[in-house]
């Protein structure tokens, strides 16, 4: 069996990453949902994002140029809290994916599918039914995301600690939730996995709520607010200081940013009004807790010469809103869910608890091989902040090393592609005939999780 | 008749099944503030802002013109149960169950204590109980609590905004 007959499908709550095994990047990255704009009666399939530039949606493939207006679109997702709860919807989305986008014939391909940790048996069963009975795949392998991330990272740096020690701590901060999972010799130590019930979706919804209360009602605008979050949010390195700065009026406020909502006539996508505002907070990044006033004055001067005075006025005729402290208070929730009223520990503590569940001899290695993956780790300064929070919690004589993945959204898929091209992949799969003979529960025992 | 009774019982249980055990405990305490806070957290996982509204429209598309009537019908159907059993079965099949319902059905509590499961993977409460409070109006650190609903605000101005917009919604 050549690896090209293996379809690798990372079925995430937010995005499906799909492609052929053995390749370096997925062929297609497509939102795992159906949406319905207010103008339409039917639920539509979303357009694939360009796989290499998922973060900055620039040019979409020519095959899908029908640019759609996503304003106020309702969404239906087959996943709830990261788990597949609606097999019918998932079948529709997969059918479209396999036939119209990937152009594959499931009955002569194998499937490598990712499934979140601790998937309930009932959900596993409906997944198996979907794969074997609805789509007739030849064989199936179900992998858990952390082990794939570990596999990929270990293969990237054969001399690195991850591959020498055969051990890493994968922090996957995705769309639905955040997992800290120790991986040892390609197996996820599931007794040590810790989860925070916060992910990109909750953050987008939180941002929606804040903006809707403070400025414009955007409760319906899931896609636009996703864009706002991706472009404007960042992780603060010093929250009290940044709150002080965000309070300042006018130009001294390094965080104020204006976002223009689509008007449906001249532009159907929202955009940041003054792109130079977005990165102004970087001038603070390396400073001591109290930002020196000189640099800020420099900023002011340059701006004074650049732009006229009335730049800060919000134009009410256009639909736009300002973001200030929301930009960093939204991602802040991953580090302090308690602020939101959730009775859950933050990410740093989550990591410590996951490590403490492992054998003591693994602790130093795990702290030194933390891998960040998942779309929500793309917030600027995420790794830096995590290290700042983690360092005081870790014993002095251990090193803390946090490695962000290069393309955190695709990391799991790449690991899957690697696994699919390994020689013994075929032996690990469950074939359709085995499934028919033994049923779902017995076949699942083969995957060890 | 017997069937009716069991049906109504089932309806009751499906109502409680929607929430996780911890949340159910909090709900039973009938504390408005915790309820509001939990509802707010639940809302963070919603796909659409007004998911109920969307579904209501889907159901009675015929009588869309008069919203009040639709609403009345809805109310009535809740009380007197005018939908047929078949329609209800169809609806039940149509509406996918939420993850929390499936979770409850899986009875993970019955697993022996050494088996890792969804519940055991939860990170658990933070070690320090101190919580930073942000103003619900403007987002800056908030020193004051609303005496009526318990939400936070930072200044007199924000208090006024809060009273005018958010306050009574949660208590009433």
């Amino acid at each position: 069996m050549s690896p090209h007959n293996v379809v690798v499908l990372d079925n995430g709550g937010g995005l499906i990453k799909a492609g052929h095994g053995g390749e370096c990047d997925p062929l297609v990255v497509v939102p795992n949902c159906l949406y319905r704009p207010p103008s339409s009666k039917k639920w539509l399939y979303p357009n694939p994002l360009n796989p290499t530039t998922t973060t900055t949606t620039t040019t979409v493939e020519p095959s899908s140029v029908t640019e759609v207006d996503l304003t106020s679109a309702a969404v239906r997702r087959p996943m709830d809290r990261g788990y597949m709860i609606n097999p019918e919807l998932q079948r529709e989305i997969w059918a479209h994916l396999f036939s119209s986008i990937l152009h594959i014939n499931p009955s002569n391909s194998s499937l490598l599918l990712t499934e979140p940790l601790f998937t309930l048996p009932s959900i596993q069963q409906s997944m198996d039914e979907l794969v074997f009975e609805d789509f007739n795949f030849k064989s199936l392998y179900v992998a858990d995301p952390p082990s794939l991330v570990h596999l990929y990272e270990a293969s990237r740096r054969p001399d690195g600690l991850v591959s020498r020690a055969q051990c890493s701590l994968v922090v996957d901060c995705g769309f639905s939730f955040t997992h800290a999972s120790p991986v040892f010799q390609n197996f996820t130590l599931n007794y040590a996995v810790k989860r925070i019930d916060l992910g990109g979706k909750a953050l987008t919804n939180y941002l929606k709520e804040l903006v809707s209360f403070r400025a414009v009602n955007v409760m319906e605008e899931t896609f636009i607010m996703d864009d706002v979050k991706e472009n404007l949010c960042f992780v603060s390195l010093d929250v009290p200081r940044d709150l002080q700065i965000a309070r300042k009026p006018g130009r001294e406020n390094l965080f104020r940013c204006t976002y223009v909502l689509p008007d449906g006539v001249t532009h159907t996508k929202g955009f940041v009004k003054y792109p130079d505002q977005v990165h102004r907070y970087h001038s603070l990044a390396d400073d001591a807790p109290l930002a020196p006033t000189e640099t800020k004055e420099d900023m002011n001067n340059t701006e004074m010469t650049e732009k006229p005075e009335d730049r800060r006025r919000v134009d009410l005729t256009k639909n736009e809103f300002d973001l200030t402290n929301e930009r960093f208070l939204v991602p802040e929730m991953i580090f302090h869910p308690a602020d939101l009223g959730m009775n859950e520990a933050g990410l740093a503590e989550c990591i410590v608890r996951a490590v403490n569940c492992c054998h003591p001899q693994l602790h130093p290695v795990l702290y030194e091989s933390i891998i960040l993956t998942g779309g929500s780790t793309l917030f600027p300064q995420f790794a830096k902040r995590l290290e700042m929070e983690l360092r005081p919690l870790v014993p002095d004589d251990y090193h803390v090393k946090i490695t962000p993945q290069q393309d955190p959204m695709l990391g799991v898929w790449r690991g899957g592609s690697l696994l699919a091209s390994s020689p013994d992949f075929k032996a690990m799969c469950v074939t359709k005939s085995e499934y028919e003979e033994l049923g779902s529960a017995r076949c699942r025992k083969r995957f060890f999780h | 008749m017997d069937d009716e009774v069991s049906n109504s019982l089932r309806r009751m249980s499906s109502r409680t099944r929607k929430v996780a055990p911890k949340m159910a405990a909090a709900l039973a305490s009938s504390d408005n503030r915790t309820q509001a806070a939990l509802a707010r957290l639940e809302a963070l996982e919603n796909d659409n802002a007004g998911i109920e509204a969307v579904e209501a429209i889907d159901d009675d598309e015929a009588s869309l013109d008069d919203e009040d009537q639709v609403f009345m019908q809805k109310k009535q159907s809740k009380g007197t149960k005018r939908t047929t059993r078949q329609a209800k079965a169809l609806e039940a099949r149509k509406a996918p169950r939420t993850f929390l319902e499936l979770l409850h059905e899986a009875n993970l509590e019955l697993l022996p204590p050494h088996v890792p499961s969804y519940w055991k993977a939860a990170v658990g409460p933070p070690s320090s109980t101190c919580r930073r409070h942000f103003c619900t109006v403007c987002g800056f650190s908030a020193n004051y609590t609303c005496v009526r609903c318990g939400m936070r605000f930072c200044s007199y101005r924000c208090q006024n905004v809060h009273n005018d917009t958010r306050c009574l919604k949660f208590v009433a």
Side-chain angles (χ1 to χ4, degrees), chain A residues 31-301:
Chain A
N32 195 0
C33 66
L34 296 183
Y35 70 93
R36 183 178 62 186
S39 56
S40 160
K41 273 257 167 197
K42 269 168 45 184
W43 291 91
L44 307 173
Y45 297 103
N47 283 334
L49 314 173
N50 201 341
T52 46
T53 53
T54 37
T55 45
T56 54
T57 45
T58 46
T59 48
V60 189
E61 289 164 3
S63 61
S64 55
V65 279
T66 45
E67 194 63 41
V68 274
D69 187 4
L70 292 172
T71 314
S72 304
V75 195
R76 276 173 77 202
R77 297 183 197 277
M79 314 277 273
D80 177 25
R81 285 163 174 79
Y83 296 95
M84 202 267 302
I85 53 149
N86 192 342
E88 304 298 68
L89 189 57
Q90 189 69 78
R91 179 171 52 224
E92 270 179 60
I93 293 171
W94 280 7
H96 176 76
L97 174 74
F98 294 147
S99 62
S100 315
I101 304 177
L102 285 180
H103 305 292
I104 56 142
N105 182 7
S107 52
N108 55 26
S109 359
S110 304
L111 180 67
L112 191 155
L113 182 69
T114 65
E115 204 171 66
L117 296 156
F118 308 114
T119 303
L120 305 173
S122 59
I123 296 174
Q124 289 182 336
Q125 198 181 341
S126 49
M127 199 55 122
D128 286 346
E129 279 169 18
L130 204 60
V131 169
F132 285 122
E133 290 169 25
D134 290 317
F135 287 102
N136 288 315
F137 271 100
K138 209 165 63 180
S139 58
L140 166 74
Y141 181 76
V142 176
D144 60 322
S147 65
L148 294 182
V149 171
H150 169 83
L151 186 71
Y152 176 66
E153 285 299 312
S155 78
R156 259 172 56 101
R157 292 189 203 84
D159 307 323
L161 181 70
V162 172
S163 64
R164 273 189 294 124
Q166 285 294 308
C167 160
S168 64
L169 183 80
V170 177
V171 177
D172 184 347
C173 189
F175 180 77
S176 319
F177 39 37
T178 300
H179 276 113
S181 349
V183 182
F184 183 57
Q185 300 194 334
N186 281 337
F187 284 105
T188 306
L189 306 178
N190 59 5
Y191 55 85
V193 172
K194 293 288 166 215
R195 180 193 67 242
I196 306 174
D197 294 309
L198 263 183
K201 181 180 177 180
L203 295 186
T204 303
N205 280 341
Y206 183 51
L207 183 64
K208 264 201 283 196
E209 193 196 292
L210 290 181
V211 173
S212 300
F213 182 68
R214 293 175 193 169
V216 193
N217 185 4
V218 288
M219 286 311 277
E220 313 279 311
E221 316 292 348
T222 309
F223 293 97
I224 294 171
M225 293 318 280
D226 263 337
D227 184 58
V228 175
K229 184 186 73 173
E230 284 159 23
N231 284 315
L232 292 183
C233 284
F234 66 95
V235 177
S236 162
L237 296 178
D238 181 350
V239 177
R241 179 200 67 184
D242 287 354
L243 274 176
Q244 285 300 320
I245 295 170
R247 206 189 253 286
K248 288 182 178 166
R251 250 176 250 101
E252 284 176 44
N253 189 334
L254 296 176
F255 303 127
R256 175 156 301 163
C257 235
T258 312
Y259 190 87
V260 184
L261 291 168
D263 58 2
V265 184
T266 51
H267 49 275
T268 54
K269 276 206 173 115
F271 58 90
V272 182
K273 200 169 183 187
Y274 307 109
D276 60 302
Q277 288 181 325
V278 177
H279 300 293
R280 281 201 298 165
Y281 66 88
H282 282 313
S283 62
L284 293 167
D286 307 319
D287 294 341
L290 278 175
T293 45
E294 302 167 79
T295 52
K296 269 192 280 176
E297 270 165 11
D298 285 348
M299 296 279 307
N300 294 345
N301 289 338

Side-chain angles (χ1 to χ4, degrees), chain A residues 303-320:
Chain A
E303 255 178 44
M304 208 108 76
T305 51
E306 260 175 31
K307 295 279 173 184
E309 171 74 19
D310 58 356
R311 175 176 168 158
R312 294 291 168 271
R313 303 257 159 77
V314 172
D315 185 359
L316 286 175
T317 56
K318 285 212 179 109
N319 258 335
E320 55 184 40

Side-chain angles (χ1 to χ4, degrees), chain A residues 267-432:
Chain A
H267 49 275
T268 54
K269 276 206 173 115
F271 58 90
V272 182
K273 200 169 183 187
Y274 307 109
D276 60 302
Q277 288 181 325
V278 177
H279 300 293
R280 281 201 298 165
Y281 66 88
H282 282 313
S283 62
L284 293 167
D286 307 319
D287 294 341
L290 278 175
T293 45
E294 302 167 79
T295 52
K296 269 192 280 176
E297 270 165 11
D298 285 348
M299 296 279 307
N300 294 345
N301 289 338
T302 52
E303 255 178 44
M304 208 108 76
T305 51
E306 260 175 31
K307 295 279 173 184
E309 171 74 19
D310 58 356
R311 175 176 168 158
R312 294 291 168 271
R313 303 257 159 77
V314 172
D315 185 359
L316 286 175
T317 56
K318 285 212 179 109
N319 258 335
E320 55 184 40
F321 57 84
D322 271 0
L323 288 184
T324 50
N325 55 26
E326 297 85 358
R327 289 182 65 194
F328 55 89
L329 286 182
V330 168
E332 183 67 19
M333 292 308 144
I334 294 181
F335 295 93
H336 286 277
D339 294 347
L340 205 57
M342 282 179 108
N343 194 20
E344 290 191 12
L347 185 58
E349 215 169 317
C350 177
I351 291 173
V352 172
R353 285 180 196 182
V355 171
N356 284 344
C357 289
C358 299
H359 192 279
Q361 290 188 345
L362 285 179
H363 292 191
V365 196
L366 284 175
Y367 282 125
E368 224 180 315
S369 53
I370 298 174
I371 303 171
L372 287 185
T373 185
S376 296
T377 60
L378 282 169
F379 289 119
Q381 304 180 357
F382 190 97
K384 205 168 170 184
R385 168 70 186 273
L386 181 59
E387 187 164 356
M388 278 170 63
E389 293 233 325
L390 196 55
R391 189 61 259 188
L393 302 177
V394 176
D396 285 350
D397 43 348
Y398 295 169
H399 289 289
V400 172
K401 186 156 178 278
I402 298 171
T403 324
Q405 268 204 313
Q406 218 170 29
D407 278 309
M409 285 156 137
L410 308 181
V412 176
W413 189 91
R414 286 175 178 162
S417 169
L418 212 62
L419 183 66
S421 56
S422 75
D424 42 357
F425 174 71
K426 194 181 175 186
M428 300 191 296
C429 287
V430 165
T431 63
K432 187 168 158 58

